Amino acid sequence: MDKVSIAVFASGTGSNARHLIELERANALHPAHVAVLVSDQPECQAVAFARLANIPVWAKKHKEAGGKEAFERAVVSFLQEHDVRLVVLAGYMRLVGSVLLDAYEGRMINLHPSLLPAFKGLDAIGQALDAGIQQTGVTVHYVTAGLDDGPVIAQTPVAIKPTDTKETLSARIHEAEHELLSEVVRTVCLLLKENEEK
Ligand code: GAR
């Protein structure tokens, strides 16, 4: 069975990107193939790990690329050169613009550390802690023009313990993210394949 090439977009630590790459190495991401990594932060850990793993990387700051539109046009060309069929935003801390959306809407998913629509935007884990609630979670959704908006594909709840700090809660959120994102990536790639074979 053919693989489905995916691009992972990341701006920071890249633990989710790394998990996907490691799963593929262990033959556990089928039918997805992590073809490339894209970043707006050339010095971030996600980029360093992808380079070590010999994954083709496209990484530039918006400014260096000539602004957001030029950045996205160059990224879309790079994705097309690598036959990318699904874009996975995993800690990509930029609002996607119209150039990327026109090319990949319906084939672009985003991971967010809350049970959307609760706690959109930055520091969703801190927002949940500050709200004093007992449960938060993680969401994977299709990307649309709005911030952390778009149809939800899957969610996992994560309990907030009274003793939780940002560090302890973040660690459990990340575990839930690694599991949920890889499951959704496999399923969406299978669906893409099935649709293309019809
Ligand atoms: C993840 O928690 C992801 O949900 C979040 O950034 C983190 C990246 O972690 N994304 C957002 O907040 C997007 N709105 P990682 O770099 O270790 O994969």
Side-chain angles (χ1 to χ4, degrees):
M1 194 160 58
D2 278 340
K3 295 216 163 183
V4 177
S5 291
I6 69 168
V8 182
F9 283 39
S11 303
T13 314
S15 74
N16 282 282
R18 183 176 181 148
H19 187 67
L20 292 174
I21 292 166
E22 285 171 349
L23 279 181
E24 185 181 359
R25 297 277 146 99
N27 282 323
L29 197 64
H30 197 80
H33 160 56
V34 182
V36 297
L37 183 125
V38 170
S39 183
D40 61 326
Q41 299 297 332
E43 308 299 327
C44 75
Q45 285 182 54
V47 165
F49 182 78
R51 291 215 163 102
L52 267 178
N54 283 321
I55 308 260
V57 169
W58 195 97
K60 268 187 192 172
K61 294 206 173 204
H62 277 188
K63 236 182 178 173
E64 296 160 12
K68 180 165 176 162
E69 213 182 299
F71 174 100
E72 291 198 347
R73 270 200 305 271
V75 167
V76 168
S77 302
F78 179 72
L79 301 181
Q80 287 167 348
E81 274 163 35
H82 289 270
D83 197 25
V84 167
R85 282 144 81 190
L86 178 72
V87 170
V88 178
L89 308 183
Y92 182 64
M93 304 311 272
R94 291 273 177 184
L95 195 55
V96 164
S98 58
V99 175
L100 257 166
L101 266 177
D102 286 351
Y104 279 95
E105 189 155 16
R107 292 185 300 138
M108 180 159 28
I109 62 177
N110 179 47
L111 172 68
H112 187 74
S114 75
L115 292 176
L116 288 172
F119 311 128
K120 294 182 176 185
L122 290 178
D123 193 21
I125 299 173
Q127 291 185 54
L129 271 176
D130 290 347
I133 49 173
Q134 287 169 2
Q135 180 178 272
T136 182
V138 305
T139 301
V140 182
H141 64 94
Y142 284 107
V143 177
T144 55
L147 173 69
D148 299 321
D149 216 350
V152 168
I153 303 170
Q155 296 185 305
T156 307
V158 175
I160 303 178
K161 299 176 185 169
T163 52
D164 261 335
T165 61
K166 203 145 158 202
E167 286 65 40
T168 58
L169 181 58
S170 296
R172 290 204 310 288
I173 291 260
H174 271 90
E175 263 176 47
E177 287 188 331
H178 295 169
E179 184 109 343
L180 186 71
L181 184 63
S182 52
E183 199 180 307
V184 170
V185 163
R186 285 189 293 265
T187 306
V188 171
C189 285
L190 264 179
L191 287 175
L192 281 174
K193 261 183 75 67
E194 279 171 17
N195 285 340
E196 282 167 14
E197 282 160 11
K198 268 182 199 159

